[in-house]
Amino acid sequence: MRLTLGAAAAGLATPLARMGETAWAEAPSSPLLAVAHGPSPAAITRAAIDAVGGIARFVSRGARVVVKPNIGWDRTPEQAANTNPEVVATVVRMCLEAEAKSVLVLDNTCNDARRCYLRSGIAEAVRAAGGTVEFFEENRAKKMALGGEVLKEWAVHPSFVEADVRINVPIAKHHGLANLTLGMKNWMGAIAGNRNRLHQNLDASVVDLGAFFRPSLTVIDGVRILTRGGPQGGSLADVRRLDTVIASADPVAAEARAVRLHGPGAIQPACISMAESRGLGRSRWDQAEERQIEVPGS
């Protein structure tokens, strides 16, 4: 089942789907999630998506796709504050191979957008892959009814609402307040206004965002992870290279699996269990439901 946002786009008054409704596409022959390892970010991204059913499971011919990476910071890829540009570009390229009508990439950055888009390498990589990059224009955001438990309404950029398919592509990294920032928190880059207000009840707020945006596919970048100093980072001493990408149609499973990238002592953010209790996905699965893939270098 692929959810579209047409109703909300037209009326701007209803949440995108009923709370508790299953959001991810059912594909009994595919594993719940895939974890790909290897030296090429592009190759492991493609392998992980292929393993969960391939991009055509999520993107139909003629679909308008929006891809939401983390481009929030004026940092280089080596500093692991933003999503790896090769991961983002590969997602874009695969969507176009599935004959998507358009693939748009944007984020509401924390630092100056022009510097973030340039220095992250994401703008250049996306354009080279054939996608479109736009800056997040606050004046285009429209107040919408989110229908959340704490977020009743908020200003949302219409590009995320009008798309047929949303693909969430966060990086797995440390966050000083949330402990870790993964998939659900990445949707804070799809909204406008005073986002610091969400920090007053952060876990419940990001679950509300996850319930509202309901991505068709989540691809978590673990090529490099930020282990301290997040979300902005800056010191290469805080970066660990794992050469890993996780993909799943279940956003909660993807997020729960990404916690393990930070080691056996990593504390699972409360938002994961909260999201599971609201029917947004699963935080536990059998070993047989996870596919591990090794992609050797060329």
Side-chain angles (χ1 to χ4, degrees), residues 93-105:
R93 189 172 290 111
M94 293 180 76
C95 291
L96 293 172
E97 290 170 358
E99 300 188 62
K101 179 180 180 180
S102 61
V103 185
L104 173 64
V105 177

Side-chain angles (χ1 to χ4, degrees), residues 27-48:
S29 60
S30 300
L32 178 68
L33 75 164
V35 185
H37 311 276
S40 166
I44 59 177
T45 301
R46 184 174 290 274

Side-chain angles (χ1 to χ4, degrees), residues 49-218:
I49 295 173
D50 284 347
V52 293
I55 196 66
R57 175 184 169 192
F58 310 100
V59 178
S60 302
R61 182 180 183 183
R64 297 166 301 168
V65 181
V66 63
V67 175
K68 171 62 180 71
N70 190 320
I71 326 177
W73 306 100
D74 180 10
R75 297 296 192 209
T76 66
E78 291 76 16
Q79 292 171 304
N82 304 305
T83 308
N84 184 288
E86 293 183 65
V87 172
V88 182
T90 301
V91 172
V92 170
R93 189 172 290 111
M94 293 180 76
C95 291
L96 293 172
E97 290 170 358
E99 300 188 62
K101 179 180 180 180
S102 61
V103 185
L104 173 64
V105 177
L106 76 163
D107 189 18
N108 190 359
T109 63
C110 298
N111 295 150
D112 179 82
R114 290 165 298 184
R115 292 188 60 84
C116 294
Y117 275 50
L118 175 65
R119 202 155 182 237
S120 68
I122 290 175
E124 181 180 2
V126 168
R127 292 187 183 111
T132 300
V133 178
E134 289 184 0
F135 292 129
F136 189 106
E137 298 176 74
E138 288 266 347
N139 59 6
R140 288 189 59 198
K142 299 178 181 178
K143 185 174 289 187
M144 298 185 188
L146 303 189
E149 293 189 354
V150 296
L151 299 181
K152 304 304 181 186
E153 60 180 28
W154 204 276
V156 177
H157 195 287
S159 293
F160 293 98
V161 177
E162 295 165 356
D164 300 307
V165 179
R166 286 166 305 288
I167 301 178
N168 194 15
V169 192
I171 183 173
K173 62 176 179 176
H174 171 259
H175 189 282
L177 179 61
N179 180 38
L180 295 175
T181 174
L182 301 162
M184 287 179 275
K185 193 174 182 306
N186 196 41
W187 290 118
M188 287 180 67
I191 63 175
N194 182 8
R195 295 176 290 170
N196 284 334
R197 284 174 48 201
L198 274 61
H199 290 150
Q200 298 173 9
N201 196 348
L202 186 59
D203 286 305
S205 295
V206 300
V207 173
D208 282 347
L209 293 178
F212 181 76
F213 288 107
R214 296 200 173 215
S216 299
L217 172 65
T218 299

